[in-house]
Amino acid sequence: MSKENVVLRVKRQDGPQSPARWEEFSVPRHAGANVLSVLMQVRENPVTASGQKTTPPAWDAACLEEVCGSCSMLVNGRARQACTALIETYSPNGEPITLEPFSKFPLVRDLVVDRSRMFESLKKVRAWIPIDGTYDLGPGPRMSQKTAEERYVMSTCMTCGCCLEVCPQVNTHSPFIGAAAISQARLFNAHPTGQLNESERLHALMEPGGVADCGKAGNCVQACPKEIPLTTSIAEMNREVTWKAVKDFFVRDSDDHEKKDAS
Amino acid sequence: MGVQQNQTQFLLRRLQSLTGIFPVGGYLCFHLFENLAALSGPERFNEIVHDIEKLAPLPYFYIIEWSLILIPLLIHSLLGMMIWFSGQPNPLAYPYRRNWLYTLQRWTGGIGFLFILSHFLQWRWAVLMRGTPITYADITRDLAGVPMLTWYLVGVLSLCFHFGNGLYGFCYSWGITVGKKSQRMMEYVGWGAFVATSIVAVNILVSLHLAGVAHG
């Protein structure tokens, strides 16, 4: 191990069906470097540590400041954003750093995965507020400062997928939508106008793969780079769907308006 | 939206969670409580076993046994196994406390199920076939051997853990404990329940084992 260089061990895969292989890169170390800046150095001169020419590893990135959620990958086996993975933290004495793509999403190439299932989940729980009309609907109801503060942290979710990657209940033989979408359902139900569609969101969470599939492992809240209280969101949605089920059963036809909407 | 609702899985998961506390968890506590009689010696133990068998006249005894104990237990276990196999435990990659508890909850459930099955076949079923009630002497003789005592300790302590940790899980799954503070409190309550039931269980088992050894 030398402190002059940064050693990256990258899991490479040319395409979804191609075999996986490991490649090691060694590039000069700079102060303040992070995993993405080192990947950029590798891209400038894609030669492995043993001197073989190769293709530059592919990865996703956009904002470089942990707000876009696109540089999700496994750094030393743990799900996180690569942009904030500092070389100084991971390799204080020149230890090699391993990079792998997320394992719970379809692989595109190298470190790039397809996270569109998260977008599908957001559509399932209607993670938006329908305010568009054919005429001006006027200002919405006021929101208390307290609600705004509670909602703020949930609104920072960047759909990075860390909570799904670490979740034992999210895997190929389970339809669980994961913590992110559940927390977004809570975010939009907590909005005075979004609350008008509360019923649809709760019903979506009662479908197969909904909130009841949570296994209470709590990894999501540990892995979330935005420190969103995901286990609180899940427990709160658990409470809401419990009440919803009780109301649906005892108060007959409570959802006639939903049925009319759909027909 | 909302027209074709498939809530079967949601309801089954809630049923699995509910049966774990009522009646299965409740019965675990009752069973430990009644077996405390073992600490009072052979006469008192045989008396209590007899009294419980005569608690309700015959058809009712079976109806209560099946509807309040065996069927809920089967529902809880079979649905629990489906939940177990729908997951992909990863405590080595992410060794957080609650992630270990997630994995342990599944393994203790599995071990507990096998233990209950063997326990039921050994005593309840054998008694039904034989027609005479279990006596203190039967049980002490059985538990005198160290392998059998070990199996009982493993099985019963698994169930005590599963019960304690399950209390936390129940309150989370039904949305009773939503905030971090209440979730942490419930975890302490769960550990407390685990320790309390474990002390009782170990006390009973060791006393039966020692009595068995003494009688050779």
Side-chain angles (χ1 to χ4, degrees):
Chain A
M1 286 190 282
S2 90
K3 281 215 69 172
E4 308 297 304
N5 280 349
V6 185
V7 177
L8 285 188
R9 295 188 65 239
V10 184
K11 195 178 182 190
R12 308 283 311 265
Q13 201 169 332
D14 293 339
Q17 311 300 333
S18 315
R21 65 181 191 279
W22 285 93
E23 279 181 1
E24 201 170 288
F25 300 95
S26 181
V27 295
R29 187 181 178 117
H30 298 300
N34 61 49
V35 164
L36 287 189
S37 74
V38 174
L39 279 171
M40 288 174 196
Q41 283 176 272
V42 171
R43 182 169 61 188
E44 284 165 20
N45 180 29
V47 175
T48 66
S50 56
Q52 266 182 322
K53 256 194 104 60
T54 180
T55 50
W59 80 92
D60 259 340
C63 76
L64 307 183
E65 54 180 0
E66 206 171 67
V67 289
C68 78
S70 57
C71 65
S72 301
M73 60 180 79
L74 299 178
V75 181
N76 282 352
R78 299 275 185 98
R80 65 165 300 155
Q81 302 307 108
C83 61
T84 50
L86 299 178
I87 301 304
E88 200 48 55
T89 317
Y90 276 88
S91 178
N93 302 306
E95 295 90 342
I97 301 168
T98 56
L99 302 180
E100 293 164 84
F102 268 13
S103 63
K104 307 271 179 87
F105 297 86
L107 186 104
V108 177
R109 183 191 168 102
D110 295 337
L111 301 169
V112 182
V113 294
D114 179 1
R115 287 178 296 129
S116 50
R117 62 164 289 181
M118 296 193 71
F119 187 55
E120 294 307 313
S121 299
L122 290 177
K123 287 199 272 183
K124 253 183 228 165
V125 301
R126 295 192 161 200
W128 64 84
I129 294 169
I131 50 164
D132 292 332
T134 50
Y135 58 93
D136 185 4
L137 295 170
R142 282 184 62 84
M143 192 192 299
S144 77
Q145 189 61 32
K146 192 171 162 288
T147 309
E149 280 166 16
E150 277 173 10
R151 291 184 75 247
Y152 175 72
V153 64
M154 288 185 269
S155 75
T156 62
C157 175
M158 52 194 181
T159 330
C160 67
C162 286
C163 56
L164 272 73
E165 174 66 22
V166 299
C167 177
Q169 294 295 113
V170 172
N171 55 62
T172 47
H173 49 274
S174 146
F176 185 40
I177 58 169
I182 295 169
S183 189
Q184 290 303 294
R186 179 182 174 218
L187 169 70
F188 287 100
N189 278 356
H191 187 280
T193 308
Q195 200 209 342
L196 298 172
N197 298 83
E198 183 187 60
S199 199
E200 287 98 315
R201 294 197 191 91
L202 294 181
H203 279 153
L205 290 179
M206 291 152 90
E207 297 268 326
V211 67
D213 282 27
C214 166
K216 299 159 287 239
N219 290 354
C220 51
V221 78
Q222 301 276 355
C224 181
K226 308 308 285 188
E227 296 179 3
I228 299 171
L230 293 168
T231 44
T232 296
S233 285
I234 295 172
E236 169 133 356
M237 289 299 98
N238 268 328
R239 166 183 289 184
E240 295 296 319
V241 293
T242 303
W243 281 119
K244 189 73 195 155
V246 170
K247 281 184 213 156
D248 282 351
F249 185 77
F250 288 101
V251 188
R252 208 151 55 96
D253 298 338
S254 62
D255 293 304
D256 265 2
H257 62 281
E258 270 183 50
K259 289 175 189 167
K260 272 189 217 123
D261 280 354
S263 56
Chain B
M1 287 294 275
V3 179
Q4 239 124 46
Q5 289 284 325
N6 180 2
Q7 297 183 348
T8 317
Q9 293 201 23
F10 167 73
L11 294 172
L12 286 178
R13 293 220 176 214
R14 282 287 194 268
L15 181 66
Q16 203 271 341
S17 177
L18 180 66
T19 48
I21 301 296
F22 179 82
V24 177
Y27 180 70
L28 173 77
C29 295
F30 172 72
H31 198 43
L32 286 173
F33 175 68
E34 60 175 347
N35 280 348
L36 274 173
L39 302 180
S40 314
E43 293 81 21
R44 187 82 192 102
F45 182 82
N46 290 341
E47 240 173 69
I48 285 182
V49 169
H50 183 80
D51 284 352
I52 285 167
E53 288 205 359
K54 295 285 171 283
L55 204 60
L58 256 195
Y60 290 104
F61 188 87
Y62 291 127
I63 292 168
I64 291 167
E65 182 181 41
W66 280 87
S67 64
L68 280 185
I69 306 170
L70 295 177
I71 292 173
L73 182 64
L74 269 178
I75 291 173
H76 182 72
S77 309
L78 296 180
L79 291 175
M81 277 178 220
M82 281 167 59
I83 291 172
W84 188 0
F85 298 130
S86 77
Q88 212 174 64
N90 55 5
L92 295 177
Y94 299 98
Y96 308 122
R97 188 182 79 262
R98 284 238 62 89
N99 199 24
W100 273 111
L101 295 176
Y102 165 94
T103 311
L104 271 174
Q105 185 71 357
R106 274 134 188 87
W107 279 98
T108 50
I111 294 168
F113 178 73
L114 290 179
F115 170 75
I116 292 171
L117 196 69
S118 79
H119 185 57
F120 178 82
L121 290 176
Q122 186 187 6
W123 294 117
R124 188 73 194 111
W125 193 251
V127 164
L128 279 177
M129 294 291 102
R130 200 173 62 185
T132 53
I134 309 167
T135 64
Y136 187 80
D138 293 335
I139 293 177
T140 48
R141 199 182 309 119
D142 190 61
L143 281 173
V146 172
M148 191 50 104
L149 176 72
T150 311
W151 171 228
Y152 264 75
L153 284 172
V154 168
V156 175
L157 290 181
S158 291
L159 289 170
C160 291
F161 171 84
H162 193 84
F163 172 65
N165 192 44
L167 287 176
Y168 167 91
F170 176 84
C171 289
Y172 181 94
S173 290
W174 288 80
I176 297 166
T177 49
V178 170
K180 269 203 180 85
K181 209 198 301 170
S182 65
Q183 286 177 0
R184 191 169 317 130
M185 272 314 289
M186 204 54 218
E187 194 168 326
Y188 295 146
V189 171
W191 285 114
F194 171 43
V195 171
T197 47
S198 295
I199 289 172
V200 173
V202 171
N203 196 353
I204 294 168
L205 287 172
V206 169
S207 116
L208 288 169
H209 168 71
L210 293 177
V213 171
H215 282 83

